Amino acid sequence: MTPLARLLLQRIEASGPISLADYMADCLLHPLHGYYATRDPFGAQGDFITAPEISQMFGELLGLCLAQGWLDQGAPSAFTLAELGPGRGTLMADVLRATAKVPGFHAAANICLVEASASLRAVQRKTLAGYRVTWYDRTEDLPQAPLLLLANEFFDALPIRQFSREGAGWAETMIGAREGVLAFGRGAAVAVAALAHRLQETPPGTVVEICPAAPAIIDAISARISAQGGLALVIDYGGWISQGDTFQALRAHQFCDPMAAPGEADLTAHVDFEALARAAVCAHAYTTQGALLTALGLHQRAAQLARGLTGTAADAHQAATRRLTAPEEMGNLFKALALFPQGAPPPAGFA
């Protein structure tokens, strides 16, 4: 039993079952025993690999997409270049390398990272040595300025609440205790205002997930873009509307029981992109990761990088290209949402 499991059992014994959102928040962000507070989970030696760690092409193309958006909006002389949940800083490093030759872009950029983990901030500081970077705890605290923002695999790690349709109400998934161990259960069916619009299209037994923190984050991003200009790119796995149980745990690159080792496995859920778009107060466009990267020229960039590669290096490069774009790999599972000013054309790759 992990130290966090003992703390959770004590809490449940004292106060009763907790929501899935509370469980996720403690497992991921507990200051002493939380997953992100105690380790670097990224890469081959960690628990999972994100797209920026698979290939530099991912960050290069997204960076150039942001730079084109900056140019299309008149190249403002000062703007916020931000990333939510920047991991090791690899994505931002690739963005900055790819945009180094865009005249005026770096001089105008105020680099800002939103990161809750002190240990990951230390890694990011090393990765981005040589750049002036400011860290923030919350998206809402980002400077008021035109905003160019990336959020790659950020929203999937935000705590969710999960409900099952029962009659005209919703029974929430709860975490309780059974015979001295953590166990799933369900609360009584009640009306849930945030799910009132789902009653007409969900039969009894349908499982639906909501992310309570996401609307405020999207509102903060889209309000800045609506008022001051900019562009946000949200890349994550999920779909247009939430349906089904997608709560999962990953440890050492393998799926595992999310209750087995609280604080020692990554917990995520699929992102409901329709809910993100509904929370935005600016324009939006939506596509798959594979379609976006292909439209931005990934295969042409892959051909450039492949020149001179042979043997295992060539094979690894080809595998990375396929993993990012193939429909049966990340290409269709991962989606992309762009937020941009009303009346402006969709950004590159979303037309």
Side-chain angles (χ1 to χ4, degrees):
M1 184 179 294
T2 67
L4 184 57
R6 293 189 184 93
L7 292 176
L8 290 169
L9 285 168
Q10 292 169 6
R11 176 181 173 186
I12 290 167
E13 183 179 357
S15 305
I18 61 175
S19 70
L20 195 56
D22 288 340
Y23 178 74
M24 285 186 70
D26 272 343
C27 287
L28 297 176
L29 296 173
H30 188 280
L32 295 180
H33 307 299
Y35 180 75
Y36 286 110
T38 57
R39 72 202 66 217
D40 175 0
F42 302 97
Q45 303 304 312
D47 293 313
F48 55 88
I49 298 177
T50 60
E53 307 287 342
I54 293 171
S55 172
Q56 68 187 66
M57 297 184 292
F58 182 80
E60 290 174 345
L61 294 174
L62 295 186
L64 293 174
C65 179
L66 291 181
Q68 186 61 57
W70 175 71
L71 291 169
D72 291 343
Q73 295 183 38
S77 59
F79 68 91
T80 299
L81 177 60
E83 185 180 355
L84 309 186
R88 288 177 169 172
T90 305
L91 175 56
M92 183 58 74
D94 289 340
V95 165
L96 292 169
R97 186 184 63 257
T99 56
K101 294 184 179 180
V102 178
F105 188 82
H106 282 202
N110 176 20
I111 305 169
C112 301
L113 303 181
V114 177
E115 178 58 70
S117 167
S119 62
L120 287 178
R121 284 190 183 193
V123 176
Q124 294 154 16
R125 192 170 286 109
K126 293 180 180 178
T127 302
L128 297 170
Y131 295 101
R132 181 176 295 178
V133 180
T134 305
W135 280 265
Y136 293 89
D137 293 325
R138 306 185 314 150
T139 310
E140 295 85 342
D141 296 332
L142 288 170
Q144 292 289 342
L147 176 64
L148 299 181
L149 179 140
L150 290 171
N152 179 62
E153 292 199 53
F154 171 78
F155 284 94
D156 67 272
L158 295 181
I160 62 160
R161 297 175 67 188
Q162 187 185 86
F163 299 87
S164 177
R165 168 80 186 278
E166 292 188 9
W170 301 90
E172 183 167 9
T173 299
M174 305 294 286
I175 308 297
R178 187 179 301 120
E179 297 180 357
V181 297
L182 296 167
F184 286 108
R186 289 199 187 278
V190 297
V192 178
L195 293 174
H197 67 292
R198 301 295 305 274
L199 288 172
Q200 291 186 343
E201 45 86 15
T202 51
T206 300
V207 174
V208 172
E209 297 165 344
I210 60 175
C211 179
I217 295 172
I218 289 294
D219 180 72
I221 295 169
S222 61
R224 281 167 169 73
I225 291 173
S226 180
Q228 302 178 61
L231 168 63
L233 301 177
V234 176
I235 317 289
D236 226 313
Y237 60 90
W240 182 244
I241 193 165
S242 169
Q243 188 157 310
D245 178 2
T246 72
F247 178 56
Q248 62 189 31
L250 198 66
R251 189 178 187 187
H253 302 273
Q254 300 291 326
F255 291 106
C256 62
D257 179 354
M259 308 287 279
E264 296 184 2
D266 184 39
L267 302 180
T268 65
H270 284 203
V271 173
D272 181 348
F273 280 89
E274 188 269 344
L276 300 187
R278 187 156 30 91
V281 295
C282 63
H284 68 268
Y286 174 75
T287 188
T288 65
Q289 174 177 297
L292 174 62
L293 295 177
T294 298
L296 291 175
L298 181 134
H299 294 289
Q300 292 87 339
R301 177 58 174 152
Q304 289 179 338
L305 293 175
R307 293 170 187 164
L309 295 180
T310 59
T312 57
D315 292 341
H317 176 62
Q318 185 177 16
T321 302
R322 178 177 178 80
R323 187 169 179 185
L324 289 175
T325 59
E328 64 274 18
E329 299 270 354
M330 298 175 73
N332 281 356
L333 175 62
F334 281 70
K335 309 302 193 299
L337 180 72
L339 304 176
F340 52 97
Q342 293 284 357
F350 287 89

